[in-house]
Amino acid sequence: MHESYTLLIEVGALLFLLGLLGRLSRRVGLSPIPLYLLAGLAVGHGGLLEMHASEEFFAVGAEIGVILLLVMLGLEYSANELVGNLRAAAPAGLIDGVLNALPGAAFALLLGWDWTAAVVLAGITWVSSSGVIAKVLGDLGRVGNRETPVILSVLVIEDLAMALYLPLVTALLAGVGLFGGLKALVIAVGTVLLVLVVAIRYGHLISTAMSAKDPEALLLGVLGMTLLVAGVASKLQVSAAVGAFLVGIALSGPVAHHATELLTPLRDLFAAVFFVFFGLVTDPRDIPPVLLPALALAVVTMGTKVLTGYLAARRAGIAEPGRWRAGLALVPRGEFSIVIAGLAVSSGRVEPALAALAAAYVLITVVTGPMLARLPDFGWFKQWLRRRAAAARRMEPLPTPD
């Protein structure tokens, strides 16, 4: 009985603290993710006040948090939209992968880590935070801007890439070797294609089986199906996160819309639990030694991410200010980076320092990213752009007479 009281006290106190931190973050205009991570660091192993009774609860909640983050991402797109975005944004996605994954892999090798750690760190530096970026675009009133579809297309490509990357990295972390990794990748590609075909041709039947008019039944049905598919996917070594993402893709119409409304509070709760759990299992004493490497990695990959958005927007015919807005908006890393690091560290096959490096890296990008996104709104930045445009016009060759 004493242990149950302790569990309730620890969980209740920590969730109440997260509520206060979330409110504080919104007051100052920042993402709550770094505050959730800091809260986990404060009460985890080596923290100011270690909580042991609630660790198992937060471990299970963290896994559910990842699943809900992915199914909510899937609910944002129909299968047809996904295929259309994939075709249109494929070049931008390729640029994104090359410019942002390779620095992470190279950095891991420079630190003396093995190829498995290099593949993991490549994923951590590659993927931007959809949640943070969506909030920044809304807060800055840029949802209707011309460059916003470019930003969203890059994020969609990254989401799709994660559907293939996560099974591959999971297989590598399981130690199944190159053949096992390729097998997992083939299974993932086949599963994704199969679900897309089913979603395009029969998605309306799946949605019809669930009533959007009964909120309770819809919530239980969607949540149950998501957890079931995620569990089966995990059993098949395809990744529970990928299974959840594909469930979201398969649902459409009013069912998807109402499911999004019903699942959003659960997603927010368990996503917060996930970030806290990552902090809980990361010893804050491991962060100071990796702080400078994390800062160096953040500076390099923030620059490559800005270049990614700039080139993608230029390819779409966006003017100079919009190119900078697109590039600076893509800087924050968040949920996927922590998911990848969490998978790697829990496997025990990578350097323990990777968790601390990932936590410090995400903290740096999530805190500085929203602030950098505001740069194009400052007067001095607009003047600098005007001077650049004027200099470019002076360097243009005069037209030759006919």
Side-chain angles (χ1 to χ4, degrees):
M1 186 64 70
H2 172 71
E3 291 183 358
S4 65
Y5 279 130
T6 305
L7 174 64
L8 292 174
I9 290 171
E10 288 187 4
V11 172
L14 197 47
L15 291 179
F16 182 72
L17 175 61
L18 295 182
L20 296 177
L21 293 176
R23 184 177 181 185
L24 174 64
S25 69
R26 285 167 179 79
R27 279 184 173 271
V28 298
L30 294 176
S31 166
I33 292 175
L35 297 182
Y36 295 160
L37 286 172
L38 290 173
L41 290 170
V43 300
H45 302 295
L48 299 175
L49 179 64
E50 295 190 21
M51 292 185 176
H52 298 291
S54 58
E55 186 170 335
E56 186 175 351
F57 169 85
F58 280 100
V60 176
E63 190 168 356
I64 295 175
V66 174
I67 290 170
L68 289 176
L69 280 169
L70 270 293
V71 72
M72 292 292 287
L73 280 175
L75 286 170
E76 294 180 11
Y77 313 108
S78 69
N80 289 318
E81 289 172 339
L82 207 59
V83 173
N85 282 329
L86 179 61
R87 291 173 178 169
L94 180 61
I95 293 172
D96 182 33
V98 171
L99 289 180
N100 297 286
L102 291 182
F107 198 82
L109 296 176
L110 286 175
L111 291 175
W113 295 349
D114 61 15
W115 278 101
T116 301
V119 172
V120 170
L121 195 56
I124 291 172
T125 58
W126 179 5
V127 186
S128 296
S129 172
S130 301
V132 174
I133 292 171
K135 185 178 187 307
V136 169
L137 293 176
D139 291 345
L140 298 180
R142 296 180 185 171
V143 175
N145 284 20
R146 284 194 63 206
E147 74 275 2
T148 298
V150 175
I151 298 171
L152 296 179
S153 294
V154 171
L155 295 177
V156 170
I157 292 293
E158 290 180 349
D159 294 341
L160 277 176
M162 285 300 99
L164 306 179
Y165 170 86
L166 286 176
L168 177 61
V169 78
T170 301
L172 290 176
L173 292 171
V176 297
L178 179 61
F179 176 76
L182 292 176
K183 178 182 177 182
L185 183 60
V186 170
I187 293 173
V189 171
T191 304
V192 170
L193 293 177
L194 176 62
V195 172
L196 286 177
V197 170
V198 171
I200 291 173
R201 295 191 175 183
Y202 309 107
H204 64 285
L205 297 177
I206 300 174
S207 299
T208 303
M210 299 184 181
S211 174
K213 298 179 180 179
D214 188 342
E216 181 180 352
L218 179 61
L219 174 61
L220 293 172
V222 173
L223 181 60
M225 183 170 65
T226 302
L227 294 175
L228 175 63
V229 173
V232 172
S234 182
K235 179 68 175 178
L236 296 174
Q237 295 186 343
V238 176
S239 168
V242 174
F245 180 76
L246 295 175
V247 169
I249 293 294
L251 298 176
S252 61
V255 168
H257 174 73
H258 288 289
T260 300
E261 294 180 343
L262 293 171
L263 288 175
T264 296
L266 285 177
R267 188 265 324 259
D268 294 342
L269 169 62
F270 284 102
V273 168
F274 170 75
F275 294 121
V276 169
F277 179 72
F278 187 81
L280 281 172
V281 297
T282 302
D283 194 327
R285 293 169 295 190
D286 295 335
I287 290 182
V290 300
L291 191 56
L292 286 179
L295 182 60
L297 182 61
V299 170
V300 171
T301 54
M302 285 192 292
T304 55
K305 190 63 85 167
V306 171
L307 180 59
T308 297
Y310 186 95
L311 293 176
R314 185 176 71 175
R315 185 176 178 274
I318 308 298
E320 182 87 354
R323 298 173 194 172
W324 285 101
R325 287 194 295 268
L328 292 167
L330 287 169
V331 163
R333 272 67 159 192
E335 54 273 10
F336 267 124
S337 298
I338 299 298
V339 168
I340 295 166
L343 289 173
V345 174
S346 63
S347 73
R349 295 184 60 86
V350 298
E351 297 289 333
L354 190 142
L357 178 68
Y361 175 77
V362 169
L363 281 170
I364 292 168
T365 60
V366 168
V367 171
T368 59
M371 293 189 287
L372 291 174
R374 298 175 186 270
L375 285 181
D377 296 333
F378 288 107
W380 63 266
F381 195 91
K382 294 177 180 178
Q383 291 178 0
W384 176 71
L385 288 178
R386 284 194 289 268
R387 288 196 297 269
R388 273 175 54 91
R393 285 194 295 269
R394 287 195 298 269
M395 293 178 63
E396 289 179 359
L398 295 173
T400 55
D402 294 334

